[in-house]
Each structure stands twice: as C-alpha cells, then as structure tokens.
Amino acid sequence: MGMAFSGQVALVTGAAAGIGRATAQAFAAEGLHVVVVDLDAQGGEATAALIREAGGEARFLRCDVTVEAEVRAMMDQAVTLYGRVDYAFNNAGIEIENSRLAEGTEAQFDAIMGVNVKGVWLCMKYQLPVMLAQGGGAIVNTASVAGVGAAPKMSIYAASKHAVIGLTQSAAIEYAKKRIRVNAVCPAVIDTDMYRRAYEADPRKAEFAAAMHPVGRVGKVEEVASAVLYLCSDGAAFTTGHSLLVDGGATAI
C-alpha cells in the first residue's frame, strides 16, 4: 500500500549500502526521485544504478558529511538536479568502538562524533533552509537503541546517538510551525555489512545478537526503511520530535 507522498524528491546519506541503500530503493519504489549520497562513490553509484534498473530515478552525489563545504555543495547540487528536497534521511554513520570508556582513544572519539553527530548537524543545517523556502518537508535521522539507554563498551557511539536524538528533538521544536517535521529511527542490531563485520566471524556473537531481541532474530534493512518512509509520509503528519524504536522488542526487556 502506498504512503501518499505529496513531495517528489528524497535525499539519503550513507546510501552506498545497508539501511541507506534499502531506504533509497524504498523511496524510489514509491515513485520519488532519489538523491543518493555517500563518501563511497562505487557503492553510491551502484545504489543509484539499482534504482534506475528497477525503473526509478536516482542520481549519486559524493559527499563527506563531516566537511561543511561538501555538505553545502551537495545540497546545492541536489536542488539544481531536482528543484527541491522534500524528504531527507540522514543515515551516514560509523560503527561502535568495542572498548570500555577509559580504553577509548581521542581518534575514535573524533571520528565517531564527526560522522554521527557533526554529519547529522551539518546535513540538517543545509536541508532546513531548502525546506523552509519550499514551504515544508520531513527529516529522519538515524539514531540507535544505544541512544536511548546505556551501552557498555560503546560509550562514544552511544553518546553520539544520544546527541542525534537531542539534535532531532531540538530541530523538531524549532521548525514545527514551519511545516517541517524532524524524527529519528533507533534500530537495534540490523543485518548489514557493519553487523557482519562485528558478529558473523564469531557464531557465538551472532547467536547472542539474535537472542537479545525478543523476536529471536536481528532486524532487516527493509524493516528500518519501512519505518523511515512512515515517518516521512502523510500518515505521520502529527509526529515530530519522535524517536521510533525498530528493535524487535529489545528495549522492552
């Protein structure tokens, strides 16, 4: 069933693979033009090609979301390509550090905060004026279940995702009367390349990852994509400043 999208253009960062690719494809399947954004040019071009092969419209733009000049240029290019950006999914992020707080490094902190927090902030900084000028829009940011509670051995990652929720809620309040909605998705463990790197080499870790979800398995990228599209759709017109858990019941335990 369609989600009654009124806009025409969606922009997805971190779209070279995983959740970002699945969401870009889901937007395209709803008939939207998609701006595929990533630092990985090969993966980003592949996502755009997959969309076009399926009959959709997509263009890839390379961007390092931690660099303001690149984010500004990327948004300018997106508007030049399609005239507007109705929906933005700020999904670019990097993975957990897997060490206790006192064992973390400054380099880890700067890298994780740079992509996961500064990247989201910069993207919204340049998306919001576009949406203000066109009279509205919807933004979804990727947070995490680690952003709504404690996360041992991933304190920097957790802090970055708590920050994403803070940015999301603050922007939602600031722009609520301007017809711009800002929400977040908070996935638990999802079957992505990042997950496979962390868990699949060790079957015991994979079993633990499945068991931490009451549904008995890890999530699928398409399930997160569905949540993102819902938050962007007219069906969520009264939803803003919300962090939607996509966690198989993990936080309900």
Side-chain angles (χ1 to χ4, degrees):
M1 183 172 66
M3 295 194 180
F5 284 101
S6 58
Q8 298 179 348
V9 182
L11 183 149
V12 180
T13 73
I19 291 169
R21 173 175 286 178
T23 306
Q25 290 175 304
F27 273 126
E30 291 289 335
L32 279 74
H33 296 174
V34 182
V35 182
V36 174
V37 180
D38 207 290
L39 187 59
D40 174 3
Q42 183 175 2
E45 290 284 12
T47 297
L50 286 169
I51 290 171
R52 291 192 294 268
E53 288 167 8
E57 168 61 27
R59 294 286 294 275
F60 168 68
L61 298 178
R62 185 183 183 279
C63 177
D64 182 342
V65 297
T66 69
V67 179
E68 182 168 11
E70 292 197 22
V71 175
R72 182 174 59 244
M74 177 269 292
M75 285 303 300
D76 287 345
Q77 286 178 275
V79 173
T80 298
L81 282 170
Y82 295 120
R84 58 192 296 120
V85 173
D86 298 282
Y87 312 107
F89 179 36
N90 296 316
N91 170 68
I94 58 175
E95 57 201 89
I96 60 178
E97 65 271 23
N98 195 32
S99 60
R100 291 184 175 86
L101 191 147
E103 298 164 354
T105 67
E106 186 175 13
Q108 285 178 322
F109 186 93
D110 290 344
I112 293 169
M113 288 293 181
V115 178
N116 294 3
V117 183
K118 184 182 178 183
V120 170
W121 173 73
L122 281 173
C123 285
M124 286 202 294
K125 175 180 172 66
Y126 288 98
Q127 290 158 0
L128 286 163
V130 172
M131 293 181 179
L132 284 170
Q134 67 196 23
I139 295 172
V140 179
N141 299 318
T142 296
S144 167
V145 292
V148 297
K153 298 189 78 175
M154 55 172 113
S155 57
I156 305 170
Y157 179 83
S160 75
K161 295 305 185 177
H162 276 267
V164 168
I165 292 174
L167 287 170
T168 298
Q169 292 176 335
S170 296
I173 292 168
E174 290 173 357
Y175 294 93
K177 292 183 179 179
K178 300 296 185 180
R179 300 185 66 246
I180 300 173
R181 296 184 299 103
V182 187
N183 293 290
V185 285
C186 297
V189 181
I190 306 297
D191 186 8
T192 63
D193 290 342
M194 188 182 297
Y195 158 75
R196 295 185 191 109
R197 285 195 299 270
Y199 294 99
E200 282 200 340
D202 186 339
R204 291 172 300 177
K205 284 187 176 181
E207 289 174 9
F208 174 79
M212 69 181 281
H213 307 89
V215 299
R217 62 173 176 85
V218 300
K220 302 175 183 178
V221 291
E222 294 82 5
E223 291 166 332
V224 183
S226 293
V228 174
L229 264 66
Y230 164 70
L231 289 172
C232 288
S233 75
D234 291 345
F238 199 57
T239 302
T240 195
H242 179 63
S243 298
L244 179 58
L245 293 164
V246 187
D247 70 346
T251 58
I253 297 173

